[in-house]
Amino acid sequence: KSALEGDEFAQFHLAEKNGFNEKALYWYSKCGEQGNRIACARVEEMYRYGRGCEKNVELAEIWAAKATLRYED
């Protein structure tokens, strides 16, 4: 499967390849929604510090919670 077909590892790889920009945020988000806690933490970091996107502490907290929930599962 490819990233477009929902492969979590392919999505994470594309995000890592893009660094901190809108494409990375998109792929980290897709991957995080599938339960990848590292991807959730990266989305949280991007929103918390405005890396590659507009700073949004509220969204950062949501993604931090997702990362924590995924870890506790």
Side-chain angles (χ1 to χ4, degrees):
K1 279 170 81 171
S2 71
L4 293 173
E5 295 172 317
D7 183 89
E8 174 186 339
F9 298 107
Q11 291 170 345
F12 191 85
H13 176 72
L14 282 176
E16 290 283 294
K17 186 176 178 180
N18 278 289
F20 291 106
N21 61 31
E22 287 181 19
K23 284 184 181 180
L25 180 61
Y26 174 82
W27 288 115
Y28 280 134
S29 298
K30 288 286 193 185
C31 186
E33 289 295 341
Q34 293 191 66
N36 185 305
R37 64 186 172 95
I38 297 171
C40 290
R42 294 272 165 77
V43 174
E44 181 263 332
E45 176 186 358
M46 291 178 78
Y47 279 127
R48 184 169 305 282
Y49 301 108
R51 294 186 176 155
C53 62
E54 188 174 326
K55 185 176 179 176
N56 186 324
V57 176
E58 189 174 309
L59 283 175
E61 293 298 321
I62 290 169
W63 281 96
K66 287 182 183 189
T68 302
L69 289 173
R70 302 288 191 237
Y71 182 72
E72 293 174 352
D73 284 347

